[in-house]
Amino acid sequence: MPLLQRKAVYALVFVVYGLTWTLLPSAANTSLGRDTIQIIYWGQEWQAGYFKHPPLIAWLTEIVIFLFGRHDVAIYALSASIMLASFAAIHHLARRYVCPDAALISVVALPAFGFYSFIVPHFDHNIILMLPWCLTILFGYLAVEERRAWAWPLLGLSIGIGILSKYTILILPFLFLIHVVWTPRHRALLLMPRAWLAVGLCFLVAAPHIYWVVANDLAPLRYFRDGAGLADAASSFFSRHILNPLDALSGMVGMSVSAMIVMLGALGLPKLRRRAMSSQDGFLLLATFGPVGLVLLLSAVTGGEMRLEWATTFFLTLPLVLMRWVYSAPGHMQVGRFLAWSSGLAVAMATTYLLIFIGVTPVVEESKWARFPAKLLAAKVTDAWAQVCDGPVPVLVGDSWLAGTAAYKSADRPRVYTEADPYMAPWLSDAKVRASGAVIVWDMDLSGRYRDIDHQDPPKAGEPMDWFPGIAAMEQRFGPITTLPEVVLGYHGPVFQDPVRLGLAVIPPEKGCHSKR
């Protein structure tokens, strides 16, 4: 394919992809994803870490909100932009392994993965990790295999930024170290100052967060342990050490099936090409299959559960491996056929997303969150405060979803005291809430329907399903509370969903309101 035509294809694919996963969720959804909502109110606080995750994504969303306002489309565009930048990094890597047309296919194949289509609007730590993950592989290749001196500091910065994104990035330097030690001609790199400069830059970037983690009782690591079920002794040995890794593997295969269908349909049956294994090939294979193998091995050894979304970054180089090892250099007709297949699948994926998230095909739980009446919730919370005090709502007390959604959609943009727990929201305390006043919002059903945002484990025996302990218990902490009538919020959409019954109460400021209504 001529260079100009290839550039035009890249431009078209990138523009269509960016517009699809920016405008489609903006049109289909009435609320952002559940993780995104929490990330946004974290960003108001500019912490060096949060009880679940590192801070970079919260800082980035706050910057975007400062620049463009609280518009859902800006967050969707941010997520799509990170994906496109990641694809560009993969293209630069692919050009070092395969011909230009094969590199094109290596990139165009990526949106066919479930990981890089349906998940994109749900902006979270797995999405933001994409770019440092791809850059770490690219700069790692340039530093180790091509001996580019300038790539070492960029490699260190990429890993450091990755640590601020999600700890999964640490898999890559571990695998790179294995590759260097295993390959005799690379071992001398361990003694070179530029390699240690990369290590130093990595720690310099990550140092504030590392300090925060140590000072906050290793909170994100404890959350990871709970999420992986490492402390779960109730399950059988077979379930934990055999079924857990097999279940994780089946989920990853399922998310890759659509891309494999496109490659099979457009390029035919794969056939392993005989080639001598080079150091460059070893690097690519380890970066592609090493993360999957490592996490499955850890799951089998520890009995921990691997959540499917943790594998989001693992398959970014898989099409490149296939183009290098099982498919020959594509001809003009093959490239055209591949573009036709991938375009058809892109339309099918976009249509399926639309049907699911407007509620026509309610097959996934996420549609419940996507169609939540967020603006109405914010209006009810603001009105509750106005019945007691004038001025903007200072603080919302509630679970991450209800309080976070109301805070994001409210013109006042109050701070959030997550579940009235200073461990989850260390930027506030009971004393600060008593001084400022707050609105409490809770689910009247107390069914724990929003529990899994912050509590990945089911409630233990005798433990309540929901966080809200009752007005009497809250008054013991915050003083007199004004309880307001319950509010019923109805969903809008072609498929009926049960209305949400919410409780509202106001904690007046200790020194009284400026004026009463």
Side-chain angles (χ1 to χ4, degrees):
M1 180 181 291
L3 176 61
L4 187 60
Q5 187 178 357
R6 194 181 309 114
K7 287 184 175 181
V9 170
Y10 273 119
L12 179 62
V13 169
F14 276 38
V15 168
V16 170
Y17 179 91
L19 290 177
T20 297
W21 296 112
T22 297
L23 301 180
L24 184 64
S26 301
N29 303 338
T30 59
S31 180
L32 293 171
R34 50 183 171 177
D35 292 324
T36 312
I37 286 293
Q38 184 174 60
I39 288 162
I40 286 173
Y41 76 73
W42 282 353
Q44 291 178 256
E45 309 300 339
W46 290 100
Q47 302 285 296
Y50 302 90
F51 81 99
K52 289 166 62 174
H53 289 298
L56 182 60
I57 190 170
W59 299 346
L60 191 57
T61 53
E62 186 65 15
I63 292 171
V64 167
I65 287 172
F66 175 79
L67 293 175
F68 301 105
R70 280 175 290 150
H71 304 292
D72 294 0
V73 67
I75 304 300
Y76 294 132
L78 173 61
S79 187
S81 298
I82 290 173
M83 294 301 305
L84 291 174
S86 304
F87 295 168
I90 293 298
H91 171 257
H92 284 288
L93 180 69
R95 287 294 292 112
R96 286 161 169 80
Y97 281 98
V98 294
C99 70
D101 286 347
L104 173 66
I105 289 177
S106 300
V107 174
V108 175
L110 291 173
F113 285 83
F115 284 116
Y116 314 129
S117 53
F118 293 117
I119 291 179
V120 175
H122 306 284
F123 187 50
D124 62 8
H125 293 80
N126 300 299
I127 297 294
I128 198 173
L129 179 61
M130 295 278 191
L131 185 54
W133 183 276
C134 293
L135 292 176
T136 296
I137 294 175
L138 175 62
F139 293 136
Y141 173 86
L142 294 172
V144 173
E145 299 298 335
E146 295 191 1
R147 298 294 199 270
R148 304 291 182 92
W150 55 265
W152 284 100
L154 294 178
L155 174 61
L157 291 173
S158 297
I159 298 173
I161 293 171
I163 292 173
L164 295 180
S165 302
K166 194 171 184 180
Y167 303 146
T168 313
I169 193 70
L170 294 174
I171 292 174
L172 289 180
F174 175 73
L175 294 174
F176 293 170
L177 180 61
I178 291 176
H179 178 66
V180 168
V181 172
W182 186 265
T183 310
R185 77 180 185 91
H186 291 333
R187 291 171 188 164
L189 294 173
L190 298 176
L191 302 178
M192 296 177 66
R194 66 187 64 164
W196 291 100
L197 171 63
V199 173
L201 286 173
C202 171
F203 278 103
L204 182 64
V205 171
H209 177 62
I210 294 172
Y211 175 81
W212 184 94
V213 170
V214 173
N216 286 270
D217 197 24
L218 307 179
L221 299 179
R222 291 166 56 192
Y223 180 81
F224 166 75
R225 178 200 64 190
D226 295 340
L230 296 178
D232 180 16
S235 301
S236 67
F237 178 90
F238 180 78
S239 174
R240 297 183 64 203
H241 297 273
I242 305 298
L243 290 184
N244 275 350
L246 290 177
D247 182 63
L249 179 60
S250 66
M252 289 186 279
V253 170
M255 293 293 278
S256 307
V257 164
S258 52
M260 297 305 100
I261 290 174
V262 169
M263 299 199 78
L264 285 171
L267 304 179
L269 292 174
K271 182 180 180 181
L272 187 63
R273 298 164 62 191
R274 294 182 179 180
R275 64 166 60 247
M277 175 68 74
S278 65
S279 174
Q280 291 88 344
D281 287 323
F283 180 92
L284 179 61
L285 291 174
L286 196 61
T288 301
F289 299 111
V292 176
L294 184 60
V295 298
L296 293 179
L297 177 63
L298 289 174
S299 177
V301 171
T302 65
E305 177 186 359
M306 182 193 160
R307 295 179 179 270
L308 181 60
E309 58 268 24
W310 296 350
T312 301
T313 54
F314 293 175
F315 297 90
L316 286 158
T317 53
L318 180 58
L320 171 57
V321 168
L322 295 177
M323 294 308 300
R324 181 164 178 82
W325 284 90
V326 302
Y327 288 113
S328 301
H332 186 77
M333 293 295 294
Q334 284 179 302
V335 173
R337 190 161 59 244
F338 187 88
L339 292 174
W341 272 80
S342 59
S343 299
L345 184 65
V347 172
M349 284 184 159
T351 303
T352 303
Y353 179 93
L354 186 64
L355 293 176
I356 289 174
F357 286 92
I358 65 174
V360 173
T361 310
V363 296
V364 295
E365 187 185 12
E366 290 296 336
S367 61
K368 174 187 71 177
W369 310 80
R371 300 297 301 168
F372 192 85
K375 291 183 178 179
L376 183 57
L377 169 63
K380 295 295 184 182
V381 166
T382 302
D383 181 66
W385 177 257
Q387 292 184 48
V388 180
C389 293
D390 274 334
V393 183
V395 174
L396 292 181
V397 180
D399 60 62
S400 293
W401 175 251
L402 292 175
T405 300
Y408 171 61
K409 292 296 184 179
S410 170
D412 300 336
R413 207 181 178 197
R415 305 173 79 186
V416 175
Y417 195 26
T418 313
E419 298 187 7
D421 187 347
Y423 173 78
M424 301 170 75
W427 48 85
L428 287 170
S429 64
D430 287 10
K432 290 179 179 179
V433 172
R434 285 194 296 269
S436 67
V439 175
I440 308 171
V441 56
W442 70 94
D443 182 4
M444 292 290 289
D445 291 343
L446 298 178
S447 61
R449 76 177 87 183
Y450 308 125
R451 176 188 177 91
D452 62 342
I453 295 183
D454 288 320
H455 306 280
Q456 300 188 62
D457 55 325
K460 299 178 177 63
E463 186 181 50
M465 289 287 293
D466 222 309
W467 75 274
F468 184 64
I471 292 295
M474 298 295 280
E475 285 186 323
Q476 290 180 357
R477 294 174 58 182
F478 299 105
I481 292 175
T482 302
T483 304
L484 301 173
E486 83 171 48
V487 167
V488 179
L489 304 182
Y491 279 83
H492 297 284
V495 175
F496 174 80
Q497 297 190 58
D498 290 332
V500 181
R501 297 171 49 248
L502 300 179
L504 291 172
V506 175
I507 304 171
E510 278 183 324
K511 295 182 179 180
C513 300
H514 294 296
S515 62
K516 299 284 182 104
R517 288 188 184 273

